[in-house]
Amino acid sequence: MTNRLFIIGAVVLAALYVLFSSVYVVNEREQAIVTRFGQITDVRTDPGLYFKIPTDFVDQVQIIEDRLLRQDLTNLRVQVSGGAFYEVDAFLTYRITNPRLFRERAQGSLAVVDDRIATRFAAVLRQVYGLREFNAALSEQRPEMMREARDLIRPDVEQIGIEIIDVRILRTELAAEVFERTYERMRAERLAEAALLRARGDEQAQSLRAIAERQASEIVAAATRDADIIRGQGDAERNRIFAQAYGQDAEFFEFYRSMEAYRTALGNTGTTMVLSPESAFFRYFGSDGQLPAASPTFNPPITPQPAPNIGTGSDEPALDGLGIEETIAPTMTLEDGSELSPTIGTEAPAPAEETAPAATPAPAPATAQ
């Protein structure tokens, strides 16, 4: 009885073993490859319950991922067209689309696939970056670079039953040894641009100062010219009046001049003078206080005459004596197209109007005492 129970138990266990070893399940996230003595006999890509020859000595089942897989690449050193170096972080996603090729050419091992993808992925990124300039990876060309890298790597991995779904570049930074050099170059460029702007500003400032100094010289020269003309006219009028007054009564004029000389020389100045009483200076001191006899005849009164104009009387510019022939105010056009001209109120005054000189009457002859 006991032996029969052992036999029945052994048969049940053997039946269960045969049953479970001949059944395998493929879910929606997996694929299955069935091999018989190392040769592929069946590939299951649809989820479900499948059967095979019992035991694993004859038929073996290898479960393969049917999900998206990811391959990361970090701190990859790439060189761009200009010679600078970047450090790049990127990743790609892929799926096993042909389990038969995956088993035959990659031994069905994800480690082998990862090594081949990593090597080819790095080479593709170096090729993509090497065709572009320094700022391309930091500009709108970045999506184009990712699509180009995906298209370049696809033909190589399709040979092992892999399909590249997408390629993404996560980080693009300058290498540590290049960063400082690049910063110094950019700093030098900014300093050169600033120096150029300062030089242009100094040039415009010097031009403005030159215009202002020229305008000031013209204004001062014109004012000095008019002042000299007016002063000369005043001196001429004064001399004319003195000359006519002297012609009215020469004796009285001489007496008046002597009194003025006494007032100036003998005022309250504390000055001591030692002179001979017979000197011409004391001519009127010896008259015992008597004034000279008045002239019985007088010349007609002095008729006011217009002041003669002693202007140059020419049409030459006001500053021709300074060697400046230009009469138009200087201007300067700046870089932005605006025109710099003298401000209102700085124009040189017009020359004084000239009048025809009036004939000066000859002084009347002095009446003899």
Side-chain angles (χ1 to χ4, degrees), residues 203-217 330:
E203 179 183 0
Q204 294 181 2
Q206 292 178 2
S207 299
L208 292 175
R209 292 191 191 98
I211 292 175
E213 291 175 358
R214 176 166 180 167
Q215 292 175 357
S217 299

Side-chain angles (χ1 to χ4, degrees), residues 16-333:
L16 290 176
Y17 173 76
V18 169
L19 175 64
F20 283 106
S21 63
S22 63
V23 176
Y24 63 96
V25 179
V26 178
N27 61 37
E28 64 275 5
R29 297 174 296 178
E30 297 174 340
Q31 302 176 88
I33 300 176
V34 180
T35 60
R36 181 173 297 168
F37 302 112
Q39 299 295 324
I40 298 175
T41 59
D42 197 5
V43 175
R44 303 294 184 178
T45 58
D46 297 327
L49 180 65
Y50 297 97
F51 295 92
K52 65 180 181 63
I53 296 177
T55 74
D56 292 335
F57 296 102
V58 179
D59 287 351
Q60 294 181 348
V61 179
Q62 181 181 1
I63 302 299
I64 299 173
E65 291 284 351
D66 194 29
R67 296 178 295 179
L68 288 179
L69 303 176
R70 173 167 170 164
Q71 174 69 36
D72 288 277
L73 199 62
T74 59
N75 298 326
L76 176 65
R77 185 183 178 89
V78 297
Q79 184 177 13
V80 296
S81 177
F85 287 91
Y86 279 123
E87 288 185 357
V88 178
D89 290 347
F91 73 93
L92 59 80
T93 56
Y94 66 93
R95 175 184 284 122
I96 301 174
T97 57
N98 193 330
R100 187 178 297 273
L101 289 178
F102 176 71
R103 171 73 181 188
E104 292 175 351
R105 300 183 179 180
Q107 301 175 4
S109 173
L110 289 178
V112 175
V113 171
D114 288 342
D115 290 341
R116 293 190 62 176
I117 290 178
T119 303
R120 182 56 183 160
F121 191 22
V124 166
L125 287 179
R126 289 191 176 95
Q127 179 181 351
V128 170
Y129 274 88
L131 297 175
R132 287 168 172 81
E133 296 294 334
F134 179 76
N135 295 325
L138 307 178
S139 66
E140 64 278 2
Q141 297 187 29
R142 191 167 182 172
E144 178 184 350
M145 295 172 62
M146 293 188 291
R147 289 192 297 269
E148 184 177 344
R150 181 195 63 189
D151 296 339
L152 287 174
I153 197 174
R154 267 181 175 175
D156 294 333
V157 298
E158 285 178 352
Q159 300 176 6
I160 57 176
I162 303 297
E163 180 187 3
I164 301 298
I165 304 301
D166 196 10
V167 172
R168 293 293 172 180
I169 297 176
L170 298 177
R171 179 179 66 94
T172 301
E173 293 182 357
L174 287 172
E177 62 272 14
V178 182
F179 181 82
E180 188 67 25
R181 185 168 63 253
T182 304
Y183 171 77
E184 291 298 332
R185 180 177 59 82
M186 296 174 64
R187 182 172 179 270
E189 291 177 355
R190 299 289 83 78
L191 290 177
E193 184 177 356
L196 178 60
L197 293 176
R198 291 193 188 95
R200 291 178 178 174
D202 292 340
E203 179 183 0
Q204 294 181 2
Q206 292 178 2
S207 299
L208 292 175
R209 292 191 191 98
I211 292 175
E213 291 175 358
R214 176 166 180 167
Q215 292 175 357
S217 299
E218 291 178 352
I219 294 172
V220 172
T224 303
R225 176 207 61 197
D226 291 346
D228 291 340
I229 291 174
I230 295 173
R231 189 179 296 109
Q233 292 176 349
D235 291 342
E237 180 67 12
R238 181 194 62 182
N239 295 334
R240 185 182 65 81
I241 294 174
F242 269 114
Q244 292 184 1
Y246 184 82
Q248 290 287 325
D249 191 339
E251 183 65 24
F252 178 78
F253 186 79
E254 185 177 354
F255 173 75
Y256 175 77
R257 295 293 297 272
S258 297
M259 292 300 103
E260 288 293 331
Y262 294 158
R263 178 183 301 171
T264 303
L266 302 178
N268 295 326
T269 60
T271 302
T272 301
M273 301 179 63
V274 180
L275 297 173
S276 173
E278 288 79 13
S279 63
F281 183 75
F282 294 107
R283 174 182 176 186
Y284 292 101
F285 268 53
S287 59
D288 296 329
Q290 297 295 325
L291 295 176
S295 175
T297 60
F298 295 95
N299 289 331
I302 299 174
T303 303
Q305 300 292 335
N309 193 324
I310 59 173
T312 58
S314 64
D315 296 334
E316 296 180 357
L319 302 180
D320 56 348
L322 299 178
I324 303 177
E325 298 180 356
E326 183 182 4
T327 58
I328 300 176
T331 59
M332 182 182 70
T333 302

